[in-house]
Amino acid sequence: MNWIFGLGICFENYHMDKKINMKNPSAYLKTLILCAALALTSCTATKNTDTNLPKDIAERPADENSQKYDQAQLDKLKAYIQNEINKVECTGSNDWTFSPIGAKACGGPQSYIAYPKKMESEILPKINDYTEKVKAFNEKYKLMSDCMMILPPKAVKCVDGKPEFVPST
């Protein structure tokens, strides 16, 4: 678009030179060279070809110091844990156990998560890591919670290949 503006100025100068000073062809030649130079240099604008940048502003990276960013990181970690657990079909309730996950601001777990006992050595550290990160998140942003105690489930049962909790009575 800049080159169009440049050409417009050049043609305006050309017409003024033609009307005012046709006896001086060097002025005409200078104007023509200036117009050509403007047109050529304005066409060489470079495009940003960095494909790592998001196309839409809504997809821009979040501020790494924001609560929203920190919450998104916690959500990703929890989703990863849940996806790893979901890869295993629940076929026998004796093969499954549960653990508290997350932390309420005033203490206690946010909920409980069922996982297969055969994954305990790899999944339990991730659950504990998530819980510690939630505690740090709560402290960092001075969050409040309902402080209602979440009772642990009585057991885990398998329903249609998925684990479900047997509620405490």
Side-chain angles (χ1 to χ4, degrees):
M1 293 303 282
N2 289 339
W3 67 272
I4 294 173
F5 179 70
L7 284 177
I9 290 173
C10 289
F11 285 122
E12 185 179 317
N13 288 341
Y14 163 72
H15 289 301
M16 288 177 72
D17 282 348
K18 189 174 180 183
K19 290 178 186 173
I20 297 172
N21 199 3
M22 265 317 268
K23 292 182 182 176
N24 187 358
S26 67
Y28 168 73
L29 189 57
K30 288 178 187 176
T31 304
L32 190 59
I33 291 172
L34 178 67
C35 291
L38 280 174
L40 291 175
T41 58
S42 62
C43 289
T44 61
T46 60
K47 276 189 169 180
N48 186 358
T49 57
D50 186 359
T51 57
N52 292 332
L53 293 176
K55 306 292 183 243
D56 186 357
I57 194 163
E59 297 174 6
R60 72 175 176 81
D63 176 13
E64 291 184 14
N65 295 319
S66 73
Q67 184 174 351
K68 189 175 183 179
Y69 177 83
D70 290 345
Q71 183 64 57
Q73 297 306 307
L74 288 173
D75 293 343
K76 284 180 187 177
L77 181 54
K78 188 172 184 181
Y80 172 80
I81 293 168
Q82 194 63 59
N83 287 338
E84 290 299 304
I85 293 170
N86 289 343
K87 290 178 183 178
V88 179
E89 185 178 7
C90 186
T91 55
S93 59
N94 291 335
D95 298 332
W96 286 72
T97 189
F98 58 90
S99 171
I101 187 167
K104 290 190 172 196
C106 58
Q110 289 174 330
S111 63
Y112 289 86
I113 189 166
Y115 63 89
K117 290 178 182 175
K118 67 181 180 181
M119 290 181 70
E120 189 163 39
S121 63
E122 62 187 77
I123 206 72
L124 202 51
K126 289 180 176 65
I127 292 170
N128 293 334
D129 180 47
Y130 172 79
T131 299
E132 291 304 311
K133 287 181 178 180
V134 170
K135 286 178 186 176
F137 177 83
N138 291 341
E139 289 175 22
K140 179 178 180 180
Y141 295 107
K142 298 176 181 21
L143 298 181
M144 301 289 291
S145 65
D146 60 14
C147 298
M148 289 184 64
M149 190 172 125
I150 307 280
L151 293 175
K154 187 175 184 180
V156 177
K157 64 180 179 178
C158 296
V159 177
D160 296 327
K162 301 285 182 196
E164 287 187 10
F165 290 125
V166 176
S168 298
T169 51

